Amino acid sequence: LITLTIDNISINVDDDTTVAAAILNLGISAFRKSVGGESRGPLCGMGICFECRVTIDGVPHQRSCNKFVTEGMKVVTGE
Ligand code: FES
């Protein structure tokens, strides 16, 4: 198992889990905010739509659907 934090919540997931799946498993559907302030979440699931972007280890706008979790990763949603 891999331990990471999502919005300061510590969780354990399998090492073959994408960041998007880990976020959804926590019940979070608003991954980010649009320019107009609307909540956005994964749409394509394969790296094309950019709707699943989150901040990972301080780097903003990372596509969570095509990144696997790593030990100690820190994910922030809703930005
Ligand atoms: S869900 Fe479309 S790029 Fe991630």
Side-chain angles (χ1 to χ4, degrees):
L1 290 177
I2 298 288
T3 301
L4 70 154
T5 62
I6 299 175
D7 297 339
N8 292 318
I9 300 168
S10 182
I11 62 166
N12 297 311
V13 296
D14 289 334
D15 62 357
D16 59 353
T17 304
T18 64
V19 175
I23 295 169
L24 288 169
N25 281 341
L26 270 182
I28 297 170
S29 58
F31 281 45
R32 67 181 194 89
K33 298 280 189 201
S34 71
V35 174
E38 299 167 332
S39 295
R40 298 292 196 180
L43 181 62
C44 72
M46 57 185 189
I48 295 173
C49 73
F50 285 69
E51 296 288 9
C52 65
R53 286 175 287 162
V54 295
T55 298
I56 299 175
D57 293 333
V59 181
H61 305 297
Q62 301 296 299
R63 285 172 286 176
S64 61
C65 71
N66 62 3
K67 285 200 182 311
F68 289 106
V69 296
T70 59
E71 185 66 32
M73 178 182 271
K74 296 185 185 334
V75 178
V76 178
T77 68
E79 296 184 326

